Amino acid sequence: MYFVTGTDTDSGKTLISAALLAKATGHKCGFKPIASGCDVTEDGLRNSDALMLMAQSNMGLAYQEINPISFEPAIAPHIAASQVNTALSAQGVFDSMLNPAMVNADFALIEGAGGWRLPLGNGEYLSDTVKLLQTTLQQETSTYGNSVQLTHAVTKNTTLEVILVVGMKLGCLNHALLTQEALLADGVSIAGWVANQVDADMAFIDDNLQSLQQMMQAPLLGYVPHLANPSAENAARYLQLPQ
């Protein structure tokens, strides 16, 4: 199981997450636990990122299972939550997103929001939720809220690893190294990183890629150039799945 984070908002987490799902085989599912910037529909709030992951999943999950926490304004989630008189917590996000499909799938990923240290409020962060999930997956059988039982963690998906999406633009070297430093300090394993060119006119792209390859401590899963048609299928051609 993988958690996809990015060096920043708009680094391309959704495109890369959907592309990895498109490339994967077997039973697969993608989750977006928290989403801001949702559209109001007759079926409730809907987020384009979550819908993109849903389109590449094949386990028949309902939208609310893929995106359990959603807010209409495109602002920081903890601020959006305060606007509707609610609060976010690491445990609350964990309880809402836990789903048996996460460990029953052949390939499962969870896309974060913003960067690794996304604030939830009251001194908690989305990274705390990831660490809760990591601890849970190390247990043979775990039951949390609503009697959701993860019974196959040991035999199928025993670990949770992070995939880091580096939005290739000016400043990305610093962003990538600081995020890597935070991930390692939090004790999570980095399965790999993806270079996603968000700035079509970025100067010296090859030099920046070479620098990152020398400094990053995980394998490069692919370089996705700036795409005229940024679809999951097009991006998947430039990626390899983590080993």
Side-chain angles (χ1 to χ4, degrees), residues 44-62:
L45 292 176
R46 292 292 183 267
N47 176 263
S48 60
D49 293 351
L51 290 171
M52 192 171 182
L53 298 182
M54 192 173 183
Q56 297 299 329
S57 303
N58 62 9
M59 297 184 70
L61 299 179

Side-chain angles (χ1 to χ4, degrees), residues 27-136:
H27 294 97
K28 52 190 177 179
C29 52
F31 297 88
K32 180 80 175 178
I34 303 177
S36 296
C38 299
D39 295 322
V40 179
T41 76
E42 60 183 13
D43 296 318
L45 292 176
R46 292 292 183 267
N47 176 263
S48 60
D49 293 351
L51 290 171
M52 192 171 182
L53 298 182
M54 192 173 183
Q56 297 299 329
S57 303
N58 62 9
M59 297 184 70
L61 299 179
Y63 179 85
Q64 288 76 14
E65 294 179 275
I66 289 173
N67 174 216
I69 302 173
S70 55
F71 301 103
E72 182 180 354
I75 58 178
H78 73 291
I79 298 176
S82 70
Q83 299 301 303
V84 290
N85 297 314
T86 189
L88 299 174
S89 69
Q91 185 68 55
V93 174
F94 173 79
D95 290 340
S96 69
M97 77 178 189
L98 204 62
N99 191 298
M102 289 180 173
V103 293
N104 292 331
D106 297 300
F107 185 87
L109 62 77
I110 303 162
E111 182 196 337
W116 176 245
R117 204 66 83 200
L118 177 84
L120 297 177
N122 298 313
E124 294 191 325
Y125 303 90
L126 187 57
S127 53
D128 296 322
T129 297
V130 179
K131 289 186 283 184
L132 280 173
L133 181 57
Q134 182 184 46
T135 300
T136 301

Side-chain angles (χ1 to χ4, degrees), residues 94 98 103 131-144 148-160:
F94 173 79
L98 204 62
V103 293
K131 289 186 283 184
L132 280 173
L133 181 57
Q134 182 184 46
T135 300
T136 301
L137 291 174
Q138 293 170 351
Q139 303 171 16
E140 183 171 357
T141 303
S142 302
T143 304
Y144 288 84
V148 173
Q149 194 173 54
L150 305 182
T151 59
H152 302 294
V154 169
T155 58
K156 293 201 69 172
N157 293 306
T158 59
T159 60
L160 176 69

